Amino acid sequence: MSDISPSLLSEGVSNTLPTILILPGLGNSGLGHWQTHWAATLSNVVRVQQREWDAPQRNAWVDA
């Protein structure tokens, strides 16, 4: 069941979930971090992956 009222749907409001972009900082996020929990439990989450979280390289991070 949708949380959006039928009148809103008829006006063109979508009932799809927005995409949540998770962008961890230095060190990434540990197992108990909220970002890790959201990424594991929500279907609409995209988590940015980096090759090296503890030694950032600006160009690689910008390209991601």
Side-chain angles (χ1 to χ4, degrees), residues 3-64:
D3 290 335
I4 299 175
S5 73
S7 63
L8 287 176
L9 290 174
S10 66
E11 293 174 13
V13 176
S14 173
N15 66 347
T16 60
L17 295 173
T19 299
I20 299 171
L21 178 65
I22 293 181
L23 181 63
L26 288 174
N28 199 355
S29 302
L31 293 177
H33 197 283
W34 68 266
Q35 293 176 338
T36 303
H37 177 72
W38 281 21
T41 59
L42 299 174
S43 63
N44 59 322
V45 168
V46 175
R47 184 181 180 128
V48 173
Q49 297 298 321
Q50 296 294 346
R51 190 177 338 201
E52 180 57 59
W53 285 105
D54 296 320
Q57 295 183 9
R58 182 190 174 280
N59 290 340
W61 283 39
V62 169
D63 291 342

